[in-house]
Amino acid sequence: MVDESKPEKPLFWIGRSYDDLLDCPEEVRRTFGFALGLAQQGGKFVDAKPLKGFGGAGVLEVVEDWQSDTFRCVYSVRFAGAV
């Protein structure tokens, strides 16, 4: 569920993570973009799972299989003002 009364959080990219996203197939980019957009609005993508080893649900992972490859999107929602 998205709280539309809250302003959208900005996305901050680490290192070459944005370039890596652009290197993914379009279908994968769409899934990851949708998941990140929900996170910016305070929601959670249905397939997002807490990343093990980070103590709770503050760091999430979305896994997308495409053809014979697997792609992962990892992001943090721990910060009040950013994703």
Side-chain angles (χ1 to χ4, degrees):
M1 182 126 200
V2 174
D3 184 353
E4 294 182 18
S5 67
K6 291 184 179 179
E8 186 174 277
K9 294 180 181 181
L11 278 175
F12 287 93
W13 301 92
I14 305 297
R16 61 170 270 113
S17 57
Y18 184 71
D19 293 327
D20 290 341
L21 177 67
L22 294 179
D23 288 341
C24 292
E26 183 177 348
E27 295 85 354
V28 174
R29 285 195 316 264
R30 286 183 188 180
T31 300
F32 291 168
F34 183 74
L36 291 170
L38 283 175
Q40 285 182 276
Q41 297 170 15
K44 181 179 169 279
F45 184 58
V46 66
D47 291 333
K49 307 259 188 289
L51 188 63
K52 293 178 183 175
F54 285 87
V59 178
L60 300 171
E61 176 183 43
V62 176
V63 178
E64 185 72 13
D65 291 321
W66 187 80
Q67 294 186 353
S68 62
D69 294 319
T70 301
F71 297 85
R72 287 176 164 66
C73 176
V74 177
Y75 58 96
S76 176
V77 293
R78 287 185 182 177
F79 307 107
V83 174

